[in-house]
Amino acid sequence: MPHLIDEAETLLRERGFKVTPQRTLLLQVMAGQPVYLDADEIYGLAYTQDASVSLATVYRTLSLFAELGIVTKRYIEPEHRREVFRLSEGPEQHYLTCVRCGKRVLIHADLLNRMARELVRRKNVSVTGACACFTGYCPECTGDLRRGGELPDHTDGAR
Amino acid sequence: MPHLIDEAETLLRERGFKVTPQRTLLLQVMAGQPVYLDADEIYGLAYTQDASVSLATVYRTLSLFAELGIVTKRYIEPEHRREVFRLSEGPEQHYLTCVRCGKRVLIHADLLNRMARELVRRKNVSVTGACACFTGYCPECTGDLRRGGELPDHTDGAR
DNA sequence: ATTACTGCAAAGGCTTTGCATTGTA
DNA sequence: TACAATGCAAAGCCTTTGCAGTAAT
């Protein structure tokens, strides 16, 4: 989506920031990988195209992009060790991480949006952002475990 | 709840771990503060009762307790900088953090449980844990901003 | 010509770990 | 008496920052 990149660069200039080769490169890298990546992964991808980029610039750029709304910053691993980023395009993504095989199951935003609306109604708050991380078993592992009798037929488990 | 403490100490002994004054102290401290606290806060509370406890022991103990299920470990701040812990008793707690005043609004578990059940139904996964962090405005700030015309009457905003 | 941006290296914040010592069982 | 647990200090991991040099406008 070169469109997204152009928009981001226009936004940068409008706000008085400069469009540097590093910034363009990071936009390109992220546009080619529309999933959440951590700073080091983004740095790695960028590095293969330009070995002169530095990790510090990656962090600074991602931070600026997050402020401008160009990227969305999240924490999705169960251990939340690292920040992850992706271009802010399309509906938000949430994940369930399988504790057995490590696979991530994408959870579309509508469920969380419904929850947010309910929250607004019940608590009279407003919601500007949400981060939901589930742990559990992916469909395959759930099937395996049920067949093995290690899981009941229905589990929600979220205390 | 001295009951909880006894159970935890029994569990420790059953599993071959030792019941030390530090472990008992941390259990007492957490039983007196049934909310999520970070390691430093727990250390601070313990320190007032026994200045010889060390932060390293607090971390080691909380980690052991988490493995044994005695405490629940979570990340609740929007920035997820620190881990927070509380005794694993009662329904799970989730929060909305107000970006204007910093206050935390407690979100009861039922909303998230419903979401988890829906997830189980739709995706055929099983859910063993959930971490939801919302950002937005607390009821007071929402009211202020609506009166000032800075917020529409209804916002959910969770992309 | 400005002034923002970059790379480098060092520092920061939170958490973990090695090691000698202490204390529970 | 054994061996787990502790305190201390150092190290680790991810992220941020100071500074001098570089480059976009």
Side-chain angles (χ1 to χ4, degrees):
Chain A
M1 324 145 172
H3 197 241
L4 253 181
I5 297 179
D6 291 347
E7 279 178 21
E9 296 189 344
T10 302
L11 180 61
L12 282 172
R13 275 188 263 260
E14 277 174 8
R15 302 288 182 91
F17 298 103
K18 291 173 179 168
V19 175
T20 64
Q22 293 86 341
R23 288 177 179 172
T24 302
L25 175 56
L26 292 185
L27 287 170
Q28 288 168 349
V29 158
M30 297 185 85
Q33 298 278 330
V35 294
Y36 280 103
L37 299 172
D38 65 44
D40 213 58
E41 290 169 329
I42 293 169
Y43 170 67
L45 289 168
Y47 189 90
T48 63
Q49 305 203 29
D50 175 358
S52 75
V53 287
S54 77
L55 187 54
T57 294
V58 171
Y59 274 107
R60 276 190 283 234
T61 303
L62 290 172
S63 172
L64 173 64
F65 285 1
E67 270 177 40
L68 295 176
I70 294 171
V71 306
T72 304
K73 172 173 156 183
R74 281 276 311 282
Y75 301 78
I76 59 179
E77 310 169 64
E79 285 304 310
H80 292 221
R81 283 192 202 296
R82 331 181 55 136
E83 306 173 333
V84 290
F85 305 84
R86 76 176 183 110
L87 287 182
S88 308
E89 162 90 329
E92 179 56 308
Q93 299 175 2
H94 304 278
Y95 294 89
L96 177 143
T97 305
C98 181
V99 295
R100 186 161 172 261
C101 71
K103 199 176 353 180
R104 292 209 281 242
V105 180
L106 182 60
I107 296 169
H108 292 295
D110 64 327
L111 275 175
L112 207 72
N113 286 346
R114 229 167 56 186
M115 179 167 169
R117 275 193 297 276
E118 183 77 11
L119 211 55
V120 169
R121 203 172 59 69
R122 284 204 209 172
K123 299 270 187 178
N124 202 38
V125 297
S126 13
V127 178
T128 58
C131 162
C133 317
F134 292 88
T135 49
Y137 298 95
C138 70
E140 291 69 37
C141 291
T142 295
D144 289 353
L145 295 181
R146 282 195 189 146
R147 275 188 292 284
E150 294 171 56
L151 269 185
D153 276 0
H154 292 87
T155 352
D156 71 26
R159 284 147 300 195
Chain B
M1 323 148 172
H3 197 240
L4 255 180
I5 298 179
D6 291 347
E7 279 178 20
E9 296 189 343
T10 302
L11 180 61
L12 283 172
R13 273 188 264 258
E14 278 174 9
R15 301 287 182 91
F17 298 103
K18 290 175 180 168
V19 175
T20 63
Q22 292 88 340
R23 288 178 177 170
T24 301
L25 175 56
L26 291 185
L27 287 171
Q28 289 169 348
V29 158
M30 298 185 86
Q33 298 279 330
V35 293
Y36 280 105
L37 300 172
D38 64 44
D40 214 57
E41 290 168 330
I42 293 168
Y43 170 67
L45 289 168
Y47 189 89
T48 62
Q49 305 204 28
D50 175 359
S52 74
V53 287
S54 77
L55 188 55
T57 295
V58 171
Y59 274 108
R60 275 189 284 233
T61 304
L62 290 171
S63 172
L64 172 65
F65 285 2
E67 271 177 38
L68 295 177
I70 294 171
V71 306
T72 303
K73 172 172 156 183
R74 282 276 310 282
Y75 301 77
I76 59 179
E77 310 168 65
E79 287 303 311
H80 292 222
R81 284 192 201 295
R82 330 181 55 137
E83 306 172 332
V84 290
F85 305 83
R86 77 177 181 109
L87 287 182
S88 308
E89 162 90 330
E92 181 54 309
Q93 298 176 2
H94 305 279
Y95 294 89
L96 177 143
T97 306
C98 181
V99 295
R100 186 161 172 262
C101 72
K103 199 176 355 181
R104 293 208 282 242
V105 180
L106 182 61
I107 296 169
H108 292 294
D110 63 328
L111 274 174
L112 207 72
N113 287 347
R114 231 168 53 186
M115 179 167 171
R117 275 194 298 274
E118 184 76 10
L119 212 56
V120 170
R121 202 172 59 69
R122 284 204 210 172
K123 299 271 188 177
N124 202 37
V125 298
S126 12
V127 177
T128 58
C131 163
C133 317
F134 293 88
T135 49
Y137 297 96
C138 70
E140 291 70 36
C141 291
T142 295
D144 289 354
L145 295 180
R146 281 193 190 148
R147 274 188 293 283
E150 295 170 56
L151 267 186
D153 276 1
H154 293 87
T155 353
D156 70 28
R159 284 148 299 197

